[in-house]
Amino acid sequence: MEASGKLICRQRQVLFHFLLLGLSLAGAAEPRRYSVVEETEGSSFVTSLAKNLGLEQREFSRRGVRVVSRGNKLHLQLNQETGDLLLNEKLDREDLCGHTEPCVLHFQVLLESPFEFFQAELQVIDINDHSPVFLDKEMLVKVSESSPPGTTFPLKNAEDLDVGQNNIENYIISPNSYFRVLTRKRSDGRKYPELVLDKALDREAEAELRLTLTALDGGSPPRSGTAQVYIEVVDVNDNAPEFEQPFYRVQISEDSPIGFLVVKVSATDVDTGVNGEISYSLFQASDEISKTFKVDSLTGEIELKKQLDFEKLQSYEVNIEARDAGGFSGKCTVLIQVMDVNDHAPEVTMSAFTSPIPENAPETVVALFSVSDLDSGENGKINCFIQEDLPFLLKSSVGNFYTLLTEKPLDRESRAEYNVTITVTDLGTPRLTTHLNMTVLVSDVNDNVPAFTQISYTLFVRENNSPALHIGSVSATDRDSSTNAQVTYSLLPPQDPHLPLASLVSINADNGHLFALRSLDYEALQEFEFRVRAADRGSPALSSQALVRVLVLDANDNSPFVLYPLQNSSVPCTELVPWAAEPGYLVTKVVAVDGDSGQNAWLSYQLLKATEPGLFGVWAHNGEVRTSRLLSERDAAKHRLVVLVRDHGEPPRSATATLHVLLVDAFSQPFLPLPEATPSQAQTESLTVYLVVALASVSSLFLLSVLLFVAVRLCRRSRAASVGRCLVPQGPFPGYLVDVSGTRTPSQSYQYEVCLAGDSGTSEFKFLKPILPNIQGQCPEPEMEDNSNTRNDFGFSIQLK
C-alpha cells in the first residue's frame, strides 16, 4: 500500500509539472463538440474518445484519461477499458437549459504522461416530448355585434416546454362562419393566436358561439393542445378602453422585495356609466409571470409576488388588459428589465490537489482549480490571490483556471505544513468573497545529520563495578522525521589497537545507554576513551560522532603492604639497639605502600602492641620507630613491637608489621631471632647474653676489634637513618606516600638495597645504597658494597652474605 501511494504521488507530480503546457495548448485549440438526444438512457454511448484522440487502447489506459466539468458535476462517464464516453444519467434538456437554445454542457478532457488538456462541449438535442398546453382551458371573448369584419381579438397562447421546431408552430380553430385565427409572433419569439372577425355578427340571430382552439407544434409527429373559446355577442358598446401608452419599459433590481411597486399602468374609456368602468388584469400571462407579478384590478399597479433572480431570467414581457363593464378591452405591454446585483459569491472548484510535497523540491504544482461567478458585468469579474507570507504563488491559466505552485524549495524542518487560503473576490458593490482553505504538508527528506547534545562526554565509573552496570548515556537528535529521524548508536573501533573496547563497554543501539561489560580495576586501567557513532535510518543514512572518555574512580580495595620488615620471612628480623641509645634514637623504619590512590593511599602508622609500653614510639607520618626515653637496667633486653599501618579510605584498610628489638652493649654480640618465648626460655637467653659479654671482656685484642667494628657500624647506621628520612620506595608504587608538609605521609620516593645476612641464622635489613641519585645537601652518600645483587619488584636489591 505504501509503495502504491508513493507511485500515485509521483504520477500526480508529473501531471502537474506539465499542467501549464497542457493548459496553453488547450487554450489554442477549438473545443471538441459532441451531441446527444435528450431522454437517452444512462450508460448510452456518446463517442469513442480513444478514436477521437487517436490513441490505441493500451496507450489510452496508460495515459490516465479523465473527464472533469465545472462544479465537479459530471453528466458523463468514461469507460477506461474501451475508451468510450458514456452518459452518466438520463438527460432532460428542459431541466438543464429551460428555453435556452442550443443546450450545451461544457467539460474538459485531461490526459497524463505527457499532460494534455482539451475543452469539449456536449449539445443536448431537443426531442418533441412535450405537448402544447393552454393555461386556461376555457376562454370567454365578448364581441360587439357592431364590430366590423376584420376586427381582431387576441387570445391566450399555449405553452410548450420544447424549443426550436418542437415548439408551437401555429394555431387553428374549429370551422365556423364568422371567425378565423391568425398565428402571431412576439418579440421573444413566442407565438400566440389572434381571432379575426370575417363576417358581421347579429346578436339577435346568434347570441354566442363555442369554438375549439388548437395549438400545434412543429415536431414529427406533431403534438397539439386545445382550449374552448366561448364567444359572447354583446350589445353595442362602441368605445373600448385605451391605455395612455401601448408600451411601458421598466428596470427593476433583482433584489427588490416582495410587494415592490414595479409600474402603474392607466387606461381610459370615453363611455359613461357601466361601460366606462375599467378593470385591469394580466393578459395571456405565463405561469412564470403569474407567479412573479400581480396587478391591482382597480388601480393598475403591478407589484412583485416573489423574488427575482437575474441569473435565471433577465427580462419579462407582461401584457395588461383593461376591460370595461361592457366587455370591451384594451391591451398594453410592460417590458420589465431585471438589473443584476452582486448577490452571488464567487465559486471555487478544485480539480486536482497534491499533498504532501517533498521538501527541497524545485517549483512544484500543488493545486489546480477554477473560479466562477454567476453574476454579470463587474459583478462577475473575479480577483484571486493567497497570503503574501507563504512560499507559494498563483498563476492564471486558460478559462478561469488557476495553478498553485511552490515559489521555492520548501524546508520541512523549518515548517512542516502550510495553511493556504485561496481568496476569490468579485468586483461588484458590495464585493463578495469566497475563501478556500487547504493544508499543504511537506514530506521529509533525509537532509539533516544526527547531532549529539555534547561534543564529548566524560563518564565516571568506580572500580570493582558489577558487570552490565549502566555507566552513562549519549544522546543525539535528528531534525528529520519518521525513519529519517530514528537514530541508532554504535561503537567505533578504538584508535588504540591494544584497547579491548569490545570487552569493556557496550552501547544500546536504540537509546545510547552505555554499559560496563566487566568489573574495572583502577590499578590496571585508570581511563580510556572511544568514539560513538549516531546514524539515522534514512536513505542514504547520515551519521555523526562524539568522543566518550571514561574515568575509573579508585575504590579502597587494597590494604597497605609492608615492604620492611618482611612479614613473610621464616626467620624474624631483629633490630639491635645499644643500651646507651639516647631518646629519639632511630631503631628502624617501617616501610609500606598502598596500591590505591589519593586518600585511599595516604598511610599512617601507630604502635599497636609493645613488650614495654612507653619505651618505643612510632612516627605516624613516616613509620620511623624511635626510642622514647633512656634505657635502664630494669628494661627487658628483648622487645616485640606490633606496628599498625592504616590508610584513609572509606572504610579504612590496615596491615600490621611485627618488629623484634634486642638491646645490646656492643654490635658484635651474637643474637638469635626472638620467637614468642616462655619465662624459662627468657631466663636461659639472659644467661647466654651475660656469658657472651663475659667472654668479650677476656681478650683485649678481641675487645679492640669489637670496638672498631661497633664504631664503623654506628657511623653507617647514622648515615643510613639520615638517608631513610629523605627517600621512599619507587617502582610500581605511588610516589606520594610521604608528605612532609603536614599530611603525615611520605612526599618523596625511596629505593633501598636490602642486605640479608643468612650465615648466622639472623636476617638483617641494611640500608646500603639509595637507588635514586643523591640530593645534594640532604642525604649523605653511604658506602656501597658491590656484590651480586638480585632486585625484587619493589625496587629493593636482596644481597645474601
Side-chain angles (χ1 to χ4, degrees):
M1 293 293 290
E2 183 178 357
S4 63
K6 292 183 178 178
L7 179 59
I8 293 174
C9 183
R10 292 175 182 170
Q11 290 176 347
R12 288 182 176 176
Q13 292 177 4
V14 172
L15 167 65
F16 293 136
H17 279 307
F18 291 95
L19 179 63
L20 293 178
L21 177 61
L23 291 176
S24 62
L25 292 175
E30 288 293 326
R32 298 174 183 266
R33 293 181 174 86
Y34 307 96
S35 62
V36 65
V37 176
E38 72 166 329
E39 301 299 329
T40 303
E41 293 295 329
S43 302
S44 297
F45 176 85
V46 177
T47 186
S48 175
L49 271 185
K51 292 182 179 179
N52 294 342
L53 298 176
L55 299 177
E56 295 293 333
Q57 180 56 42
R58 181 179 302 174
E59 181 71 7
F60 185 88
S61 300
R62 184 188 67 81
R63 297 194 61 182
V65 181
R66 290 190 297 154
V67 175
V68 297
S69 66
R70 179 177 175 181
N72 290 331
K73 183 175 182 180
L74 288 177
H75 300 287
L76 300 171
Q77 60 178 330
L78 182 61
N79 190 321
Q80 295 291 341
E81 296 180 359
T82 63
D84 293 337
L85 189 63
L86 308 176
L87 284 178
N88 200 32
E89 58 185 2
K90 181 187 292 186
L91 301 181
D92 189 344
R93 194 209 65 81
E94 287 72 28
D95 289 341
L96 294 174
C97 302
H99 287 280
T100 303
E101 181 67 13
C103 181
V104 177
L105 303 179
H106 298 275
F107 63 97
Q108 296 80 36
V109 180
L110 301 180
L111 292 85
E112 302 175 7
S113 304
F115 183 85
E116 291 184 273
F117 182 84
F118 299 99
Q119 295 282 357
E121 297 176 354
L122 177 65
Q123 180 177 356
V124 182
I125 300 174
D126 183 49
I127 62 173
N128 192 23
D129 58 342
H130 293 86
S131 298
V133 176
F134 286 92
L135 299 181
D136 294 329
K137 296 295 185 181
E138 296 181 353
M139 292 180 279
L140 175 63
V141 179
K142 292 183 179 181
V143 181
S144 175
E145 64 178 346
S146 62
S147 298
T151 304
T152 60
F153 304 92
L155 300 177
K156 296 181 180 180
N157 64 294
E159 295 284 342
D160 194 336
L161 295 178
D162 295 321
V163 296
Q165 67 178 8
N166 295 326
N167 205 324
I168 296 176
E169 187 69 25
N170 64 342
Y171 292 87
I172 59 174
I173 199 165
S174 59
N176 64 90
S177 303
Y178 299 97
F179 296 94
R180 60 186 171 90
V181 69
L182 296 179
T183 301
R184 302 292 187 182
K185 191 174 185 179
R186 291 196 180 97
S187 60
D188 60 357
R190 290 187 297 173
K191 296 179 179 181
Y192 67 93
E194 194 172 73
L195 195 63
V196 180
L197 181 62
D198 287 337
K199 179 181 176 182
L201 297 174
D202 185 1
R203 181 179 181 280
E204 287 70 28
E206 194 170 4
E208 64 178 20
L209 297 174
R210 184 181 296 270
L211 304 176
T212 300
L213 179 64
T214 303
L216 298 173
D217 63 20
S220 180
R223 289 175 175 263
S224 63
T226 62
Q228 297 298 316
V229 179
Y230 296 97
I231 299 175
E232 180 181 352
V233 182
V234 297
D235 200 10
V236 174
N237 181 16
D238 54 354
N239 290 289
E242 293 184 3
F243 283 91
E244 294 178 355
Q245 58 189 73
F247 290 95
Y248 292 82
R249 297 183 184 274
V250 180
Q251 290 183 340
I252 181 173
S253 177
E254 67 172 324
D255 61 347
S256 299
I258 296 176
F260 180 78
L261 176 61
V262 179
V263 69
K264 181 178 180 180
V265 297
S266 178
T268 59
D269 193 326
V270 296
D271 293 326
T272 59
V274 176
N275 294 329
E277 296 178 358
I278 300 174
S279 64
Y280 301 91
S281 63
L282 297 174
F283 181 74
Q284 295 184 355
S286 65
D287 185 58
E288 179 66 25
I289 292 177
S290 299
K291 292 179 180 178
T292 306
F293 303 98
K294 66 179 181 179
V295 60
D296 190 296
S297 62
L298 297 178
T299 63
E301 293 178 347
I302 302 174
E303 298 178 352
L304 282 179
K305 289 177 64 177
K306 74 170 187 176
Q307 195 75 39
L308 300 177
D309 187 358
F310 174 84
E311 288 71 34
K312 184 176 180 181
L313 197 59
Q314 291 79 36
S315 64
Y316 295 88
E317 182 178 329
V318 182
N319 295 313
I320 304 298
E321 180 185 52
R323 183 179 293 273
D324 61 20
F328 287 96
S329 63
K331 311 288 188 304
C332 76
T333 301
V334 179
L335 299 177
I336 301 174
Q337 183 72 33
V338 182
M339 304 302 295
D340 183 39
V341 297
N342 194 23
D343 59 345
H344 289 86
E347 297 179 356
V348 181
T349 302
M350 185 66 63
S351 296
F353 175 65
T354 297
S355 180
I357 298 173
E359 64 174 330
N360 303 331
E363 183 177 282
T364 305
V365 176
V366 179
L368 170 67
F369 61 93
S370 62
V371 295
S372 59
D373 195 317
L374 295 177
D375 296 319
S376 62
E378 292 294 317
N379 297 331
K381 294 182 180 180
I382 296 173
N383 283 334
C384 185
F385 57 90
I386 61 174
Q387 306 100 301
E388 295 182 354
D389 58 343
L390 297 179
F392 299 93
L393 57 88
L394 278 179
K395 285 188 178 180
S396 178
S397 229
V398 78
N400 285 339
F401 275 89
Y402 286 84
T403 305
L404 179 66
L405 307 99
T406 57
E407 188 175 22
K408 60 183 180 180
L410 305 180
D411 183 13
R412 191 206 65 83
E413 288 70 41
S414 299
R415 191 167 179 179
E417 68 176 48
Y418 294 87
N419 292 320
V420 181
T421 300
I422 299 174
T423 303
V424 184
T425 304
D426 60 26
L427 301 182
T429 303
R431 294 192 175 188
L432 299 180
T433 302
T434 299
H435 300 284
L436 176 63
N437 298 316
M438 62 179 68
T439 300
V440 180
L441 303 178
V442 183
S443 61
D444 186 47
V445 173
N446 192 25
D447 57 348
N448 287 279
V449 176
F452 281 94
T453 56
Q454 300 174 215
I455 299 176
S456 62
Y457 296 81
T458 301
L459 307 179
F460 297 90
V461 184
R462 189 166 297 279
E463 66 171 328
N464 303 324
N465 58 283
S466 59
L469 175 68
H470 177 229
I471 61 175
S473 301
V474 296
S475 178
T477 57
D478 196 313
R479 296 180 61 198
D480 294 320
S481 65
S482 188
T483 57
N484 295 332
Q486 295 179 5
V487 179
T488 58
Y489 303 89
S490 60
L491 300 178
L492 294 176
Q495 297 180 352
D496 183 2
H498 301 292
L499 179 65
L501 182 62
S503 64
L504 293 175
V505 177
S506 68
I507 189 170
N508 188 308
D510 296 327
N511 53 31
H513 291 345
L514 291 165
F515 300 90
L517 294 179
R518 60 182 176 86
S519 178
L520 301 178
D521 185 5
Y522 173 84
E523 288 72 35
L525 183 64
Q526 286 77 38
E527 66 177 72
F528 60 94
E529 62 183 31
F530 54 90
R531 305 192 75 84
V532 174
R533 177 177 179 265
D536 59 30
R537 296 185 179 178
S539 179
L542 302 179
S543 64
S544 61
Q545 300 179 13
L547 179 66
V548 179
R549 185 183 183 192
V550 179
L551 300 179
V552 182
L553 301 179
D554 182 47
N556 193 24
D557 58 344
N558 289 284
S559 299
F561 181 78
V562 179
L563 298 177
Y564 182 82
L566 296 175
Q567 298 300 301
N568 57 353
S569 176
S570 59
V571 179
C573 180
T574 301
E575 302 293 337
L576 300 180
V577 178
W579 285 95
E582 297 292 331
Y585 175 82
L586 179 61
V587 177
T588 186
K589 179 172 183 173
V590 177
V591 180
V593 294
D594 195 310
D596 297 318
S597 65
Q599 181 175 314
N600 296 330
W602 296 352
L603 303 180
S604 62
Y605 304 83
Q606 71 179 76
L607 186 60
L608 186 62
K609 293 181 181 180
T611 302
E612 189 168 341
L615 180 57
F616 299 96
V618 178
W619 286 21
H621 65 280
N622 59 10
E624 292 182 352
V625 181
R626 297 177 177 271
T627 58
S628 301
R629 58 178 175 80
L630 289 174
L631 302 176
S632 65
E633 293 181 356
R634 292 191 300 274
D635 294 327
K638 298 179 180 179
H639 295 269
R640 181 175 178 272
L641 307 179
V642 178
V643 178
L644 177 68
V645 183
R646 185 194 305 268
D647 60 25
H648 288 76
E650 280 295 331
R653 290 177 173 266
S654 61
T656 58
T658 303
L659 302 175
H660 296 275
V661 180
L662 179 62
L663 304 181
V664 295
D665 289 331
F667 284 174
S668 60
Q669 185 177 3
F671 61 91
L672 296 173
L674 299 177
E676 293 293 336
T678 61
S680 59
Q681 291 175 336
Q683 293 178 359
T684 304
E685 289 175 352
S686 299
L687 292 176
T688 304
V689 173
Y690 293 144
L691 180 58
V692 171
V693 175
L695 291 176
S697 63
V698 173
S699 174
S700 59
L701 180 60
F702 181 74
L703 181 58
L704 180 59
S705 300
V706 171
L707 291 176
L708 290 174
F709 177 74
V710 170
V712 173
R713 289 296 298 273
L714 287 176
C715 181
R716 289 187 176 181
R717 180 67 59 85
S718 176
R719 292 181 179 179
S722 62
V723 174
R725 297 186 186 94
C726 303
L727 301 178
V728 178
Q730 285 186 345
F733 303 100
Y736 44 77
L737 299 177
V738 177
D739 185 358
V740 297
S741 61
T743 59
R744 305 172 64 90
T745 56
S747 63
Q748 299 184 24
S749 299
Y750 286 82
Q751 282 189 339
Y752 301 98
E753 287 188 355
V754 180
C755 180
L756 300 178
D759 56 344
S760 61
T762 61
S763 298
E764 181 178 356
F765 184 93
K766 298 183 179 181
F767 295 89
L768 296 179
K769 174 188 176 182
I771 301 304
L772 288 178
N774 179 35
I775 302 176
Q776 187 175 2
Q778 294 183 0
C779 304
E781 179 76 15
E783 247 183 63
M784 298 175 57
E785 294 185 4
D786 187 11
N787 295 317
S788 178
N789 297 331
T790 302
R791 180 160 299 182
N792 64 6
D793 289 339
F794 300 104
F796 291 87
S797 295
I798 309 300
Q799 181 180 24
L800 301 178
K801 295 185 179 179

